[in-house]
Structure formats: C-alpha cells, structure tokens
Amino acid sequence: MIAEVIVDIAASETDRIFDYLCDDDTVVGSRVRAPFGGKTLPGFVMRLKERTDVPEERLKKVLPCPDELPALNAECLSLAEKITARYRVPKALTLRLFLPSEMRTGKVRELMRNYATLKVPVSEMKLVKSAKNQIGAAEYLAEHGKTDCAYLNGIFPGGVAALEKKGYVEITQEQRLRDPYKSVTSERVERTLTDDQARAVHTIQTDGRTVQLLHGVTGSGKTEIYLTLIAKCLEEGKSSIFLVPEISLTPQMLAQLRARFGKNAAILHSGLSAGERFDEWWRLRTGEAKIAIGARSAVFAPLENLGVIIIDEEHDSSYSSETAPRYNTFDVALLRAKYNGCKLVLGSATPSAETYKRAKEGEFSLIRLDKRINKRPLPEIVIADMRREVRRGNNSSFSGVLKEEIEKCLAADKQAILFLNRRGYSQTVICKECGYVAKCEACDVSLTYHRDENCLKCHFCGARYKMLRACPECGGFKLSYAGTGTQRIVSELEKLYPSARIIRMDNDTTSGKEGHYKILKTFAEKKADILVGTQMIAKGHDFPAVTLVGILDADMSLHFSDYRSGERTFQLITQVAGRSGRAEEQGKVVLQTFDPENEVLRFATSYDYEGFYQNEISLRAAMAFPPFSKIVRVLVTGEDDKKCIEALREVYVRLEKLYTDNPDKFLFFNKMRAPIKRIQNKYRYQVLMRLSDVSVLKDIYDICAEARNRDALVSVEENPANLS
Ligand code: ADP
Ligand code: ZN
C-alpha cells in the first residue's frame, strides 16, 4: 500500500505530499513516522492508494504510531484542506491546528505512573535498622495502601526499589489522568427556563437557518440557554463545542459545566500544562467527553457528530487568530456546522455591526432577549464630566460623584468594580524639559512604569528596564509619569479608603493557569471590597454583590485610529456596566469622560444598541468601511531591515500590478512603514489596502505566499483587529 504523507515541517519548500510505502492496515488520518532527509519526522497519512510514480528504489517506508484511533478524522481532513486553500499556508501548519502540540512533538504521552503495594506485612520483613528509607517506605505503604512511587521516592529515596528487589512490594503501572481545574467547582443548580429562554431554545432548534444570533442584554440568561442546548445534544448522543473569548472566563464557565455535565466536559486551552491538554484532547477524540469548552482554538476540537457550536461574546476580537493561518473562528465554525448539519449559535449583548447586519438582513436568525432575568432593571449609567472636575481643581483619578458612590457602596457592605483600560502604574515616562519618551529598544513603543518592581516594562515584548533617574537625552531631572494605570488607582484608593480591601486584576497579577481564578474567587467570596482591573474584568463575570461599576477612562478606546473604535467603546461600556446590579440590589455605573457629548457614549449610557447600530452602520457605509469593504494588510516582518525592504519591494510590485489591473476592486492602496516600526527586534512594513470586491483576495494570498522567504515573513491580515 502507498500512503500520501504530509511531513510535519512548516516550511514552504517541503509543503507538498510525499509518497511512502506503508503497512496494509494503515488508516487515513493516522500519524506515522516518516524517514525524511536523514531524519525520522512525524507525518500524517492524507490518502491511501495502490500505485505511485516514485521509482521503487527511492520509495521509503513509514512506521506506524501506536495510537488507538487515527489522530485526524474525515471531517478534520476536509476542513484542513479548505483552510489551507483559503489562507495559502503550508499544509503542515494547518494540520497543527487540530492537534495538541505535545502530540506532534511526542514529548508527552499518556501519563503512566508506577505505584507500589505491599506484598508482605512489615513485621515479616527482614530489614536492618539502618535501612531507614526502606523501613519508612514500608511503614508508609502499610498505613496508606497503594502509593505513587515518585511520591515515596521524594520522602524515602531508593526505599521502594530496594523493597521491590527483596520481593516485599509489587510495582504496577497505571495511567493517571490529569484533572485540570480540580479546584474549580460549583454547586449544581437546576433552573426552570423562563418563557423567554424557552422560546429562544425552541427557535434555535426549529429555525431552518444554520446561524442563530442570540442578542440578549447582559444578565438576560444566555448561559442557561447554552447549557440547555448542550444538555439536549448530550441526550441525543451528540457532542458540542462551546467557545468563550478569554481564559479568565473559562474557569467560571467550566465550573458550571462541570457541575452539570461532569466528565462529559473537557477543556482545551493554552493555559493548561502540556500533559493536561493532551489528556483532555484524547478524551474528546475517543468520545469519552462530548463537550469541548475553550477559547478560539477549541473550534478544532476532535469531536464527531456535533449537535451545536456556540460562540459566546461573538463580537470579541480574540476570535480572529493572530498567527498563521489567520483564521476567523466564525468561518471555521460555520464550515463545521454545515458539515455536521448542526446549528451555530452566536451570543452577545453587543453583536458586531457586521454580524448584526447579516442577522437583520435575514441571513442569520435573530433572537432577542430584551430583559434581564426576573425583569431586574439594567443599572443606571451616570456621566461624570472630567473637564469640570479638572476646572474645579480635582486632579485625582476619581470624580466627586464616583467618590460619593464608592463611599455609599462600602457603607452598605456591597462591592465595587473599577475598570481601567491600562495596566501598570502609569502609561509613559516623559521628560518635561526636552520631551524625551522612554521607549523599548527592541519594539519602538513607549515603556510603562511598574511601581511594585520599580522598573519600566515593554507591554509588547515584556522586556524590563531600570527606572530612569534622569533624562538620558538632556540629563534633566523633571521626569513625568503621564497617564494612569491600575497600580496607581489602587494606591490612590488605599489612601482614600484605608479600611477597604482592594484587589487588582490585570496581566501582571494573573500568572499561572489559576491566577485569574484565584483573584475572581477572592472577590466572589467577598474577601475584597473593590476590584480594580483592565479589560479582563469586563466580561461575563457574575458577582451578585456588585452594585457599583466605575469606568475611569471611557474615552481611552475612542481615540484609537481604527474604524472599530466606536464599536469597541460601546461594547466595553455595555459589558462593564453589565457587571453591576445583577442580583436584587439596583446597580449603578459612573462613566468618567472628557467628552460627554460623544454620541457613542450617549447611546451606551441609554443602552440603545439599535440606535448605536443605525448610527454606526450609516457611518461605515458613508466611509466605505467594513462590512461595506474589506481591509487587507500585508505585513512584512523580519530581523534584517534590508531583507525586509527587498521582500516588501517584491510583493509591492506585484500587488501594485494587481491594483492597476483591477482599479475598480480597490478603494485604497498604499505601502508604508507599520505604525510600530519594530517589535521584538523585527522590522515591520506594510501594504494597506481596502477592497470593494474580495475576488482579488485569492491573488493577494498567492502573491504573498510566493514572496515568503527565510528572512522575511509576509503575512496577510483581513480586517485586522489591531493595526499597530
Ligand atoms: P448573560 O450571560 O445573558 O449575561 P447569565 O446567563 O449570566 O446572563 O444570567 C444572569 C443571571 O441570571 C445569573 O445569575 C443566572 O444564574 C441567573 N439565571 C439565568 N437563568 C435563570 C432562570 N431560568 N431562573 C433563575 N435565574 C436564572
Ligand atoms: Zn519591547
């Protein structure tokens, strides 16, 4: 038998299918070990055939891998083909999306552990007094029964091995499944669906369209709808994929899923250890677990017979991949939903303008939940005009009204969340005399001061720099720390409310996979009064005792030069406000701004999504921005500036020809340096385009795939979330 094999090297030179001899029982989709250029490399069997044109003497044989099932099923193989063709990436790179990386590299296998059991009572053992480790291990085993040898060796080095030699203990090998989030638990709650929820479930199940948009205000009970859909699938023996935007959200959701579905739920995300990810993946592949939950990469979960795919917070920017292939989660999910004949449910309180437009035009079904559970009112949003505060001489980060509300909240023994768009102590370090700004040497972006470590950090590459005493340019000592970060807010709060318990959540405080969870747990258990945080605290969380939310710098995200900044600001305010007053108590939100007349803020404070959408979509139409066009950025990056410029020139010449041949398909075409000229020592150049007709997209991908070389990476981004 001949196997067509893709060898797992993501280089364009080897991006083709190679023929190998294989065993007759080889299965399509299985992993093999393929001799390749003097090495043995992992590969995948894509097809089987009887004959090959490769002459016999050059035909090599692949060795099978001892997997109980082929790693890739038929759906994965067909999906991989489509993704490869769509984004023009090496086939091996696409296949990698479907497997946990540790499976490819073979670093982790099932976790086999040695366990020791006593065969002889301790009293009958002949052990000399000095054999302390043997005696210790034997006594431990007598008391505790079967024990992990690694554990015993930690306390009594060598003891077990010596006991085994003498025939006193037996050693057995057993697989131990790692259990991520062991500590994450929640009470199982059975809820009767409200009429609105039941109606939504019914529509999703009976509507003929594949894509179902669930547009429900914050706290309208969308989660319960998802869980019901998943439970119905499980009853029918079908599997489900449930996607959530951020890792920080996953533990809460997982706890609920665990309580309800037990071992049927498996988690897939990058925060797990290699071994955990491997185990969870196999549980899904073998069908032992039927529910995959995770961030965007879980859309590739190895499940068969899908009954539903859910994308919660569908508007979230984390659903577009920022590494090749730069897939859009929605597109992949739609392919899978069609393949399986199942529904794709999108949920959001603030759908993206693009999704909402498609729903309004009838392409997607649109289900509305306009009220919170139990008709709880949405929190009132008060605007605090920070210009007036400054005029009054208030230079602190808190307006008068916010301070008042914090005091009321603390006095009533309730909790508050203060939201800020930045982390660190303050934004940048500027010399007031010469205007020098401290920048990262590798990235050309300004550094952020971190007070607790007294250093400057680059938020792009993580590099740390010593704090400056004087300006390196002019030697002046008047350095100013412009802007305000989460750390600074915390220290201001500590001064204002010395008895309040304040915690902070941002990228600096949440290391490790359970870092987020611990902070959220502390807050949920009311062991803190005020939570200060960045984006991370905006989404999904359900803390019943929170009655106050402060948005400290509502304008921040309005000033990004990005067509989506209005939409992002609206979403962010709605999401953060949605954390307040979720239980019996009426909630309040204080929104601080220097631009109180701004119309996005006005729509957000009156919870007028429809009004916001109408305004936004007519702006987009007038400006010919997405969804009325497609923004495409070709980014050239590499360590060698000259080589980058060469590659840029090559793609530019060909792209320009495409442009001049099809002038009616382009709205904009320009080459320039990327706004951030260097990140992690890589130079960056871009060609920015706006297309009115996406039929040229394929040509753009082709041109870029061909220009890619060892020294310069050429990538294509569609409607990039970030144009830095
Ligand atoms: P959303 O995801 O729409 O923001 P959630 O799913 O978090 O809303 O639900 C909001 C609150 O309402 C949660 O505290 C949840 O436990 C509660 N809830 C949801 N459905 C029901 C129900 N049918 N009966 C009682 N409480 C419910
Ligand atoms: Zn840097």
Side-chain angles (χ1 to χ4, degrees), residues 29 44 67 69-77 79 95-103 238-243 264-269 276-309 332 336 339-340:
F44 297 95
D67 292 337
L69 283 167
L72 302 165
N73 63 23
E75 187 195 352
C76 295
L77 291 171
L79 199 55
L95 291 178
R96 287 180 185 178
L97 296 170
F98 292 87
L99 300 174
S101 58
E102 26 302 317
M103 190 153 159
K238 292 189 173 169
S239 52
S240 327
I241 296 179
F242 183 9
L243 305 176
N264 268 310
I267 183 166
L268 287 176
H269 77 64
E276 289 166 345
R277 222 160 30 210
F278 181 85
D279 291 347
E280 292 293 85
W281 191 90
W282 264 113
R283 291 207 307 122
L284 291 164
R285 179 66 187 100
T286 57
E288 186 196 324
K290 288 200 155 56
I291 306 161
I293 172 170
R296 69 165 178 260
S297 61
V299 76
F300 297 102
L303 284 164
E304 281 172 17
N305 195 14
L306 282 171
V308 70
I309 303 175
V332 179
R336 294 201 72 175
Y339 186 98
N340 286 275

Coordinates of all heavy atoms in Angstrom, one line a residue, residues 29 44 67 69-77 79 95-103 238-243 264-269 276-309 332 336 339-340:
G29 N -5.6 9.5 8.0 CA -5.7 10.4 9.1 C -4.8 10.0 10.3 O -4.7 10.8 11.3
F44 N 1.5 12.8 8.6 CA 0.1 12.3 8.6 C -0.3 11.7 7.3 O 0.1 12.2 6.2 CB -0.8 13.5 8.8 CG -0.6 14.2 10.2 CD1 0.2 15.3 10.3 CD2 -1.2 13.7 11.3 CE1 0.5 15.9 11.5 CE2 -1.0 14.3 12.5 CZ -0.1 15.4 12.6
D67 N -1.3 4.7 18.0 CA -2.5 5.4 18.5 C -3.7 4.5 18.4 O -3.8 3.7 17.5 CB -2.8 6.7 17.7 CG -1.7 7.7 17.9 OD1 -1.0 7.7 18.9 OD2 -1.6 8.6 17.0
L69 N -6.7 5.4 17.8 CA -7.5 5.9 16.7 C -6.7 6.8 15.9 O -5.7 7.4 16.3 CB -8.6 6.8 17.4 CG -9.8 6.2 18.0 CD1 -10.5 7.2 18.8 CD2 -10.7 5.5 17.0
P70 N -7.0 7.0 14.6 CA -6.3 8.0 13.8 C -6.5 9.3 14.4 O -7.6 9.7 14.8 CB -6.9 7.8 12.4 CG -8.2 7.1 12.6 CD -8.0 6.3 13.8
A71 N -5.4 10.1 14.4 CA -5.5 11.4 15.1 C -6.5 12.4 14.4 O -7.1 13.2 15.0 CB -4.1 12.1 15.1
L72 N -6.5 12.3 13.1 CA -7.4 13.1 12.3 C -8.6 12.3 11.7 O -8.3 11.3 11.1 CB -6.6 13.8 11.2 CG -5.4 14.6 11.6 CD1 -4.5 14.9 10.4 CD2 -5.8 15.9 12.3
N73 N -9.8 12.8 11.9 CA -10.9 12.1 11.3 C -11.2 12.7 10.0 O -10.6 13.7 9.5 CB -12.1 12.1 12.3 CG -12.7 13.5 12.5 OD1 -12.4 14.4 11.8 ND2 -13.4 13.6 13.6
A74 N -12.2 12.2 9.3 CA -12.5 12.6 7.9 C -12.9 14.1 7.9 O -12.5 14.9 7.0 CB -13.7 11.8 7.4
E75 N -13.6 14.6 8.9 CA -14.0 16.0 8.9 C -12.8 16.9 9.0 O -12.7 17.9 8.3 CB -15.0 16.3 10.1 CG -15.6 17.7 10.0 CD -16.2 18.2 11.2 OE1 -16.4 17.4 12.2 OE2 -16.6 19.4 11.3
C76 N -11.9 16.5 9.9 CA -10.7 17.3 10.1 C -9.9 17.4 8.8 O -9.4 18.5 8.4 CB -9.8 16.7 11.1 SG -10.5 16.7 12.8
L77 N -9.8 16.3 8.1 CA -9.0 16.3 6.9 C -9.7 17.2 5.8 O -9.0 18.0 5.2 CB -8.9 14.9 6.3 CG -8.0 13.9 7.2 CD1 -8.1 12.5 6.7 CD2 -6.6 14.4 7.1
L79 N -11.7 19.7 6.4 CA -11.6 21.1 7.0 C -10.2 21.7 6.7 O -10.0 22.8 6.3 CB -11.9 21.1 8.4 CG -12.3 22.4 9.1 CD1 -13.5 23.0 8.4 CD2 -12.7 22.1 10.6
L95 N -2.5 21.5 9.7 CA -2.8 20.3 10.5 C -2.5 20.5 12.0 O -3.1 19.9 12.8 CB -1.9 19.2 9.9 CG -2.4 18.7 8.5 CD1 -1.5 17.6 8.0 CD2 -3.9 18.2 8.6
R96 N -1.5 21.4 12.2 CA -1.1 21.6 13.6 C -2.3 22.2 14.4 O -2.3 22.0 15.7 CB 0.1 22.6 13.7 CG 1.3 21.9 13.3 CD 2.5 22.9 13.4 NE 3.7 22.2 12.8 CZ 4.8 22.8 12.7 NH1 5.0 24.1 13.1 NH2 5.9 22.2 12.2
L97 N -3.2 22.9 13.8 CA -4.3 23.4 14.5 C -5.2 22.3 15.2 O -5.8 22.6 16.1 CB -5.2 24.2 13.5 CG -4.7 25.4 12.9 CD1 -5.6 25.9 11.8 CD2 -4.4 26.5 13.9
F98 N -5.1 21.1 14.6 CA -6.0 20.1 15.0 C -5.5 19.2 16.1 O -6.2 18.4 16.7 CB -6.4 19.2 13.8 CG -7.2 19.9 12.8 CD1 -6.6 20.6 11.8 CD2 -8.6 19.8 12.9 CE1 -7.4 21.3 10.8 CE2 -9.4 20.5 11.9 CZ -8.8 21.2 10.9
L99 N -4.2 19.4 16.4 CA -3.6 18.5 17.4 C -3.0 19.3 18.6 O -2.5 20.4 18.3 CB -2.5 17.7 16.8 CG -2.9 16.8 15.6 CD1 -1.6 16.2 15.0 CD2 -3.8 15.7 16.1
P100 N -3.0 18.8 19.8 CA -2.3 19.5 20.8 C -0.8 19.4 20.5 O -0.3 18.3 20.0 CB -2.6 18.7 22.1 CG -3.1 17.4 21.6 CD -3.7 17.6 20.2
S101 N 0.0 20.5 20.7 CA 1.3 20.5 20.2 C 2.2 19.3 20.8 O 3.1 18.8 20.1 CB 2.0 21.8 20.5 OG 2.0 22.0 21.8
E102 N 1.9 19.0 22.0 CA 2.7 17.9 22.6 C 2.5 16.6 21.9 O 3.4 15.7 22.0 CB 2.5 17.8 24.1 CG 1.2 18.2 24.7 CD 0.8 19.6 24.4 OE1 1.6 20.5 24.6 OE2 -0.4 19.8 24.1
M103 N 1.5 16.4 21.2 CA 1.2 15.2 20.5 C 2.2 15.1 19.2 O 2.7 14.1 18.9 CB -0.2 15.1 20.0 CG -0.6 13.8 19.5 SD -2.3 13.6 19.7 CE -2.5 12.4 18.5
K238 N -25.2 13.5 21.0 CA -24.4 14.3 20.1 C -23.4 15.2 21.0 O -23.6 15.4 22.1 CB -25.3 15.3 19.3 CG -26.1 14.5 18.3 CD -26.8 15.5 17.4 CE -27.5 14.8 16.3 NZ -28.4 15.6 15.6
S239 N -22.4 15.7 20.3 CA -21.4 16.4 21.0 C -21.6 17.9 20.7 O -22.3 18.3 19.8 CB -20.0 16.0 20.6 OG -19.9 16.0 19.2
S240 N -20.9 18.8 21.5 CA -21.0 20.2 21.4 C -19.6 20.9 21.6 O -18.8 20.4 22.3 CB -21.9 20.8 22.5 OG -22.9 19.9 22.9
I241 N -19.5 22.1 21.0 CA -18.4 22.9 21.2 C -18.9 24.2 21.7 O -19.8 24.8 21.2 CB -17.6 23.2 19.8 CG1 -17.0 21.8 19.3 CG2 -16.5 24.2 20.0 CD1 -16.3 22.0 18.0
F242 N -18.2 24.7 22.8 CA -18.7 25.9 23.5 C -17.5 26.8 23.6 O -16.5 26.5 24.3 CB -19.2 25.5 24.8 CG -19.8 26.7 25.6 CD1 -20.0 27.9 25.1 CD2 -20.1 26.5 27.0 CE1 -20.5 28.9 25.8 CE2 -20.7 27.5 27.7 CZ -20.9 28.7 27.1
L243 N -17.5 27.9 22.8 CA -16.3 28.8 22.8 C -16.5 30.1 23.6 O -17.6 30.7 23.5 CB -16.0 29.2 21.3 CG -15.8 28.0 20.4 CD1 -15.6 28.6 18.9 CD2 -14.6 27.2 20.8
N264 N -18.2 14.7 31.2 CA -18.5 14.9 29.8 C -17.9 16.1 29.2 O -17.9 16.4 28.0 CB -20.0 14.9 29.6 CG -20.6 13.5 29.2 OD1 -20.0 12.8 28.4 ND2 -21.5 13.1 30.0
A265 N -17.5 17.0 30.1 CA -17.0 18.3 29.7 C -15.4 18.3 29.7 O -14.8 17.8 30.6 CB -17.4 19.4 30.6
A266 N -14.8 18.7 28.6 CA -13.3 18.8 28.6 C -12.9 20.2 28.2 O -13.6 20.8 27.4 CB -12.8 17.8 27.6
I267 N -11.8 20.6 28.8 CA -11.4 22.0 28.5 C -10.1 21.9 27.6 O -9.2 21.1 27.8 CB -11.1 22.7 29.8 CG1 -10.7 24.1 29.5 CG2 -10.0 22.0 30.6 CD1 -10.7 25.0 30.8
L268 N -10.1 22.8 26.6 CA -8.9 22.9 25.7 C -8.5 24.3 25.7 O -9.1 25.2 25.2 CB -9.4 22.6 24.3 CG -9.7 21.1 24.0 CD1 -10.2 21.1 22.5 CD2 -8.5 20.2 24.1
H269 N -7.3 24.6 26.3 CA -6.8 25.9 26.1 C -5.3 26.0 26.5 O -4.8 25.1 27.2 CB -7.6 27.1 26.6 CG -7.5 27.3 28.1 ND1 -6.3 27.7 28.6 CD2 -8.4 27.2 29.0 CE1 -6.5 27.8 29.9 NE2 -7.8 27.6 30.2
E276 N -2.0 18.0 30.6 CA -3.4 18.2 30.8 C -4.1 18.3 29.4 O -5.1 17.7 29.1 CB -3.7 19.4 31.6 CG -3.3 19.2 33.1 CD -3.3 20.5 33.8 OE1 -3.3 21.6 33.2 OE2 -3.3 20.5 35.1
R277 N -3.5 19.1 28.6 CA -4.0 19.4 27.3 C -4.1 18.1 26.5 O -5.1 17.8 25.8 CB -3.2 20.4 26.5 CG -4.0 21.4 25.8 CD -3.2 22.6 25.4 NE -1.8 22.4 25.2 CZ -0.9 23.3 25.4 NH1 -1.2 24.5 25.9 NH2 0.4 23.1 25.2
F278 N -3.1 17.3 26.6 CA -3.0 16.0 25.9 C -4.2 15.1 26.3 O -4.9 14.5 25.5 CB -1.7 15.4 26.2 CG -1.4 14.1 25.5 CD1 -1.0 14.0 24.2 CD2 -1.7 12.9 26.2 CE1 -0.8 12.8 23.6 CE2 -1.5 11.7 25.5 CZ -1.0 11.6 24.2
D279 N -4.3 15.0 27.6 CA -5.4 14.1 28.2 C -6.8 14.6 27.7 O -7.6 13.8 27.3 CB -5.4 14.1 29.7 CG -4.1 13.4 30.2 OD1 -3.4 12.7 29.4 OD2 -3.8 13.5 31.4
E280 N -7.0 15.9 27.9 CA -8.3 16.4 27.5 C -8.6 16.2 26.1 O -9.7 15.8 25.7 CB -8.4 17.9 27.9 CG -8.4 18.2 29.3 CD -9.6 17.7 30.1 OE1 -9.6 16.6 30.5 OE2 -10.6 18.5 30.3
W281 N -7.6 16.4 25.3 CA -7.8 16.2 23.8 C -8.2 14.7 23.5 O -9.1 14.5 22.7 CB -6.5 16.5 23.1 CG -6.6 16.6 21.6 CD1 -7.0 17.7 20.9 CD2 -6.5 15.6 20.7 NE1 -7.0 17.4 19.6 CE2 -6.7 16.1 19.4 CE3 -6.1 14.2 20.8 CZ2 -6.6 15.3 18.2 CZ3 -6.0 13.4 19.6 CH2 -6.3 14.0 18.4
W282 N -7.5 13.8 24.1 CA -7.8 12.4 23.8 C -9.2 12.0 24.4 O -9.9 11.2 23.8 CB -6.7 11.4 24.4 CG -5.7 11.0 23.4 CD1 -4.4 11.3 23.4 CD2 -5.9 10.2 22.2 NE1 -3.8 10.8 22.3 CE2 -4.7 10.2 21.5 CE3 -7.0 9.6 21.6 CZ2 -4.5 9.5 20.3 CZ3 -6.9 9.0 20.4 CH2 -5.6 8.9 19.7
R283 N -9.6 12.6 25.5 CA -10.9 12.3 26.0 C -12.0 12.7 25.0 O -13.0 12.0 24.8 CB -11.1 13.0 27.3 CG -10.3 12.5 28.5 CD -10.9 12.6 29.8 NE -11.3 14.0 30.1 CZ -12.5 14.4 30.4 NH1 -13.5 13.5 30.5 NH2 -12.8 15.6 30.7
L284 N -11.7 13.8 24.3 CA -12.7 14.2 23.3 C -12.6 13.3 22.0 O -13.6 12.9 21.5 CB -12.4 15.7 22.9 CG -12.7 16.7 23.9 CD1 -12.0 18.1 23.6 CD2 -14.2 16.9 24.1
R285 N -11.3 13.0 21.7 CA -11.1 12.2 20.4 C -11.8 10.8 20.6 O -12.3 10.3 19.6 CB -9.6 12.1 20.2 CG -9.3 11.2 18.9 CD -9.7 11.9 17.6 NE -9.6 11.1 16.5 CZ -10.5 10.4 15.9 NH1 -11.7 10.4 16.4 NH2 -10.3 9.6 14.8
T286 N -11.7 10.2 21.7 CA -12.2 8.9 21.9 C -13.7 8.9 22.2 O -14.4 7.9 22.3 CB -11.6 8.2 23.1 OG1 -11.7 9.0 24.3 CG2 -10.1 7.9 22.9
G287 N -14.3 10.1 22.4 CA -15.7 10.2 22.7 C -16.1 10.1 24.1 O -17.2 10.1 24.5
E288 N -15.1 9.9 25.0 CA -15.3 9.8 26.4 C -15.9 11.1 26.9 O -16.8 11.2 27.7 CB -14.0 9.5 27.1 CG -14.2 9.2 28.6 CD -12.8 9.3 29.3 OE1 -11.8 8.9 28.7 OE2 -12.8 9.8 30.5
A289 N -15.4 12.3 26.4 CA -16.0 13.6 26.7 C -16.7 14.1 25.5 O -16.1 13.9 24.4 CB -14.9 14.5 27.2
K290 N -17.8 14.7 25.6 CA -18.6 15.1 24.4 C -18.7 16.6 24.3 O -19.4 17.1 23.4 CB -19.9 14.4 24.4 CG -19.9 12.9 24.1 CD -21.2 12.5 23.6 CE -21.1 11.2 22.8 NZ -20.4 10.1 23.5
I291 N -18.2 17.3 25.3 CA -18.4 18.8 25.3 C -17.0 19.4 25.4 O -16.3 19.2 26.3 CB -19.2 19.3 26.5 CG1 -20.5 18.5 26.5 CG2 -19.4 20.8 26.4 CD1 -21.2 18.6 27.9
A292 N -16.7 20.2 24.3 CA -15.4 20.9 24.4 C -15.6 22.3 24.7 O -16.5 23.0 24.1 CB -14.7 20.8 23.0
I293 N -14.9 22.8 25.7 CA -15.0 24.2 26.0 C -13.6 24.9 25.9 O -12.6 24.2 26.3 CB -15.6 24.4 27.4 CG1 -15.6 25.9 27.8 CG2 -15.0 23.5 28.5 CD1 -16.3 26.2 29.1
G294 N -13.6 26.1 25.4 CA -12.3 26.7 25.3 C -12.3 28.0 24.5 O -13.4 28.4 24.1
A295 N -11.1 28.6 24.4 CA -11.0 29.8 23.6 C -11.0 29.4 22.1 O -11.3 28.2 21.8 CB -9.7 30.5 24.0
R296 N -10.7 30.3 21.2 CA -10.9 30.0 19.8 C -10.3 28.7 19.3 O -11.0 28.1 18.4 CB -10.4 31.2 18.9 CG -8.9 31.3 18.9 CD -8.4 32.2 17.8 NE -7.0 32.3 17.9 CZ -6.3 33.3 18.5 NH1 -7.0 34.4 18.9 NH2 -5.0 33.3 18.6
S297 N -9.2 28.3 19.8 CA -8.6 27.1 19.2 C -9.5 25.8 19.4 O -9.3 24.8 18.7 CB -7.2 26.9 19.7 OG -7.3 26.7 21.1
A298 N -10.4 25.9 20.4 CA -11.2 24.8 20.7 C -12.2 24.5 19.5 O -12.9 23.5 19.5 CB -12.0 24.9 22.0
V299 N -12.3 25.4 18.6 CA -13.2 25.2 17.4 C -12.7 24.0 16.6 O -13.4 23.4 15.8 CB -13.3 26.5 16.5 CG1 -12.0 26.7 15.7 CG2 -14.5 26.4 15.6
F300 N -11.4 23.6 16.9 CA -10.8 22.5 16.2 C -10.9 21.2 17.0 O -10.3 20.2 16.7 CB -9.3 22.8 15.8 CG -9.2 23.9 14.9 CD1 -8.8 25.1 15.3 CD2 -9.4 23.7 13.5 CE1 -8.6 26.2 14.5 CE2 -9.3 24.8 12.6 CZ -8.9 26.0 13.1
A301 N -11.7 21.2 18.0 CA -11.9 20.0 18.9 C -12.2 18.8 18.1 O -13.0 18.8 17.2 CB -12.9 20.3 19.9
P302 N -11.5 17.7 18.4 CA -11.7 16.4 17.6 C -12.9 15.7 18.0 O -12.9 14.6 18.4 CB -10.4 15.6 18.1 CG -10.2 16.0 19.5 CD -10.6 17.5 19.6
L303 N -14.1 16.4 17.8 CA -15.4 15.8 18.1 C -16.1 15.3 16.9 O -15.9 16.0 15.8 CB -16.2 16.8 18.9 CG -15.9 17.0 20.3 CD1 -16.5 18.3 20.8 CD2 -16.3 15.8 21.2
E304 N -16.8 14.3 17.0 CA -17.6 13.8 15.8 C -19.1 14.0 16.2 O -19.5 14.1 17.4 CB -17.3 12.3 15.5 CG -16.0 12.3 14.8 CD -15.5 10.9 14.6 OE1 -16.3 9.9 14.8 OE2 -14.3 10.7 14.3
N305 N -19.9 14.0 15.2 CA -21.4 14.1 15.4 C -21.8 15.3 16.2 O -22.4 15.2 17.3 CB -21.8 12.8 16.1 CG -23.3 12.6 16.0 OD1 -24.0 13.3 15.3 ND2 -23.8 11.7 16.8
L306 N -21.4 16.5 15.8 CA -21.6 17.7 16.5 C -23.1 18.0 16.5 O -23.8 17.9 15.4 CB -20.9 18.9 15.9 CG -19.4 19.0 16.3 CD1 -18.7 20.0 15.5 CD2 -19.2 19.3 17.8
G307 N -23.7 18.4 17.6 CA -25.1 18.8 17.7 C -25.2 20.3 17.7 O -26.3 20.9 17.3
V308 N -24.2 21.0 18.3 CA -24.3 22.5 18.3 C -22.9 23.1 18.5 O -22.0 22.5 19.1 CB -25.2 23.0 19.5 CG1 -24.6 22.7 20.8 CG2 -25.6 24.5 19.3
I309 N -22.7 24.3 17.9 CA -21.4 25.0 18.2 C -21.9 26.4 18.7 O -22.8 27.0 18.1 CB -20.6 25.2 16.9 CG1 -20.2 23.8 16.3 CG2 -19.3 26.0 17.2 CD1 -19.5 24.0 15.0
V332 N -14.6 29.1 10.5 CA -14.3 27.6 10.7 C -15.5 27.0 11.3 O -15.9 25.9 10.9 CB -13.1 27.5 11.6 CG1 -12.8 26.0 11.9 CG2 -11.8 28.1 11.0
R336 N -17.8 23.8 10.0 CA -18.1 22.6 10.8 C -19.6 22.4 11.0 O -20.1 21.3 11.0 CB -17.4 22.6 12.2 CG -15.9 22.6 12.0 CD -15.2 22.2 13.3 NE -15.4 20.7 13.6 CZ -14.8 20.1 14.6 NH1 -14.1 20.7 15.4 NH2 -15.1 18.8 14.7
Y339 N -20.9 21.0 7.8 CA -20.5 19.6 7.6 C -21.4 18.6 8.5 O -21.8 17.6 8.1 CB -19.0 19.4 8.0 CG -18.4 18.1 7.8 CD1 -17.7 17.9 6.6 CD2 -18.6 17.1 8.7 CE1 -17.1 16.6 6.4 CE2 -18.0 15.8 8.4 CZ -17.3 15.6 7.3 OH -16.7 14.4 7.1
N340 N -21.7 19.1 9.8 CA -22.4 18.2 10.7 C -23.9 18.4 10.6 O -24.6 17.8 11.4 CB -21.9 18.5 12.1 CG -20.5 17.9 12.4 OD1 -20.4 16.7 12.7 ND2 -19.5 18.7 12.2

